[in-house]
Amino acid sequence: FNAAPPAVSAQAWGPVAAHWSASTLVFQGTDVQLGDIAAFVVELLGSDPFGTGGKDIPFVDLRPPSENKVVAVTQRQLAFLVANALMGNGFTDGGSDGLTAGLQRCGANPAKTTYLYSLLSFLAVLSRELAPGDQGSLLVAATPKGQDNSWMNNLGTMLPEPTVCQRQADGSFDCGLSDFMAGGTQKQALTDIAGGVVGGGAQLCDLAASQDESLVQFYSEVLAFSFFTNGANKDDSATGMLPVPWVLLGARRYMNHLSGNSMGGSCGAIPAENWLNEAISSRTVSVSVGGTQQKVAPSAFVGIASVCSACNVGDSCSHEELINNKCDLQRRHLEQDLSNWYQAFEPAMYEPSVQQAFRSVVSRIGTGPWGAGVWYGDSQQSFLTVWLATSLLSGISLDYYIYPSF
């Protein structure tokens, strides 16, 4: 890339390109420069990964009404979509896909550049992993059906002991598992403690103080999947962002460094050197998707919202009372939160063609204080809620993480 790609703000591109060119970025033992990414983009643009002559692609709008929808694409197909979005090659009729809309929205503020690091890191890693013509593993995005009371049928289940992981002074966890936000634990679903959409108030552009806003930047495939939304309304960023609940089977972390422990008021930080995740796993499992066997990475990203206590208390509780779990309204939405958790994590809530894949990829859930973040639910009841709700699921265990400062 000698200049900014057509769909990227030149003002935002300049500092990122200069940083990349001046840095050491090693993946699989070799340096990865912008020229290597450009060569991969050229290869992608000259290919036909969807087998449609390069003209058409299947498109499903994951925005509401979004019950029981599925999008399954290979790594190469998703990289093809990212490359075309960066080059300004639109695919959707009558509007803008969410990824293109995001590039326009984020480009309006040149100081926000993390989305460029994320997309370029995604292409950088795949440029080394995928040989020409190799489709790579499958990524399966799905939304569940509407909530029902089926979780109540499992209330007779015994509560299995959860794995509780407390962060130590050296950054490790006393349970022996990796930080759930950084990934690395096989068949563990990462819980994105979300609001109404994945990425929240940062609008897919940059790192921020909350987990949900920053996570999407490190899990580049999640950011890229915003393509599958209709982003035509430029005055409403949520139209180009993924709704919750939502799952991406096979999601991987492409950038360093990310932890559930806040870093100077930010959730995550991009290092000055070597921000590519060299420890990214290439492991896959064989799963059934729509009756065919496919390779999927044994990890998942699940965006799920709790009830917002702070949104409902009005003037009845102070901010200090909410922080210290002293507001009665914080404890008046247990059943709704149980239903939210069950809807997002129970395989039977998803379209039948992907239920077996969900069961094969997800056998444990990693989460921090879901329900008790910036929406100020009761932190103690929230722990009991996710423990109880996970016990109602089919063959899935709970890994609960505790941090000094989440």
Side-chain angles (χ1 to χ4, degrees):
F1 290 110
N2 294 319
V8 176
S9 160
Q11 289 78 16
W13 176 263
V16 175
H19 185 194
W20 200 295
S21 298
S23 302
T24 300
L25 287 112
V26 176
F27 188 79
Q28 294 186 346
T30 59
D31 196 26
V32 186
Q33 288 299 322
L34 288 176
D36 301 309
I37 300 173
F40 183 52
V41 168
V42 170
E43 181 209 326
L44 288 168
L45 295 176
S47 67
D48 183 19
F50 288 96
T52 60
K55 299 294 184 182
D56 300 304
I57 61 162
F59 182 81
V60 175
D61 185 3
L62 293 173
R63 290 293 303 162
S66 55
E67 294 180 1
N68 260 12
K69 292 182 180 179
V70 176
V71 177
V73 297
T74 65
Q75 290 173 319
R76 175 171 289 276
Q77 288 170 340
L78 189 61
F80 177 79
L81 297 178
V82 170
N84 276 281
L86 292 172
M87 298 306 293
N89 301 327
F91 283 103
T92 56
D93 295 326
S96 172
D97 65 84
L99 183 55
T100 297
L103 291 173
Q104 295 171 349
R105 180 175 62 250
C106 298
N109 187 342
K112 297 181 177 181
T113 59
T114 309
Y115 67 101
L116 292 176
Y117 285 97
S118 180
L119 295 175
L120 290 172
S121 296
F122 171 64
L123 294 173
V125 170
L126 292 189
S127 74
R128 292 292 188 260
E129 289 186 330
L130 299 183
D134 182 7
Q135 288 282 357
S137 60
L138 192 70
L139 295 148
V140 182
T143 57
K145 65 182 180 180
Q147 293 185 359
D148 55 30
N149 293 325
S150 57
W151 59 272
M152 293 184 176
N153 298 329
N154 301 333
L155 286 173
T157 305
M158 294 292 292
L159 277 171
E161 183 177 352
T163 299
V164 178
C165 302
Q166 188 158 357
R167 193 177 192 270
Q168 306 300 293
D170 63 359
S172 65
F173 287 85
D174 59 3
C175 63
L177 299 177
S178 302
D179 190 314
F180 83 98
M181 284 183 43
T185 300
Q186 297 297 310
K187 297 194 174 183
Q188 185 188 73
L190 181 164
T191 304
D192 173 24
I193 303 173
V197 291
V198 174
Q203 300 182 356
L204 307 182
C205 298
D206 216 353
L207 300 181
S210 79
Q211 184 234 30
D212 172 56
E213 291 172 303
S214 295
L215 265 182
V216 65
Q217 303 296 341
F218 293 89
Y219 288 82
S220 308
E221 291 149 336
V222 177
L223 175 60
F225 256 87
S226 64
F227 174 88
F228 292 101
T229 61
N230 186 340
N233 186 352
K234 296 179 181 179
D235 295 325
D236 181 6
S237 61
T239 61
M241 298 171 71
L242 292 160
V244 299
W246 179 84
V247 62
L248 182 60
L249 303 178
R252 303 186 301 166
R253 177 174 60 85
Y254 283 80
M255 291 200 305
N256 301 323
H257 284 292
L258 180 65
S259 164
N261 213 55
S262 62
M263 302 177 180
S266 175
C267 184
I270 299 175
E273 300 277 347
N274 282 330
W275 57 79
L276 297 180
N277 179 17
E278 276 204 277
I280 195 168
S281 175
S282 59
R283 185 178 302 182
T284 61
V285 293
S286 180
V287 305
S288 174
V289 178
T292 65
Q293 291 300 119
Q294 302 286 343
K295 296 182 300 179
V296 175
S299 52
F301 182 108
V302 181
I304 171 179
S306 63
V307 173
C308 177
S309 294
C311 301
N312 298 319
V313 297
D315 296 328
S316 63
C317 290
S318 68
H319 184 253
E320 183 178 355
E321 287 173 323
L322 286 167
I323 291 175
N324 291 286
N325 301 333
K326 293 183 177 180
C327 183
D328 180 69
L329 280 173
Q330 292 173 292
R331 292 172 288 280
R332 297 298 173 182
H333 43 74
L334 171 62
E335 289 193 7
Q336 183 59 59
D337 279 335
L338 288 171
S339 187
N340 291 352
W341 192 268
Y342 188 86
Q343 180 192 29
F345 286 109
E346 170 53 48
M349 297 297 288
Y350 288 86
E351 212 280 326
S353 63
V354 299
Q355 290 180 13
Q356 191 275 332
F358 196 113
R359 293 186 177 97
S360 297
V361 170
V362 178
S363 63
R364 57 202 309 160
I365 297 169
T367 189
W370 181 83
V374 294
W375 281 4
Y376 298 106
D378 183 306
S379 57
Q380 295 169 334
Q381 177 169 300
S382 295
F383 165 69
L384 296 174
T385 299
V386 299
W387 184 13
L388 173 57
T390 304
S391 76
L392 306 178
L393 305 173
S394 306
I396 299 177
S397 61
L398 176 65
D399 302 326
Y400 194 88
Y401 290 73
I402 300 173
Y403 302 85
S405 176
F406 185 74

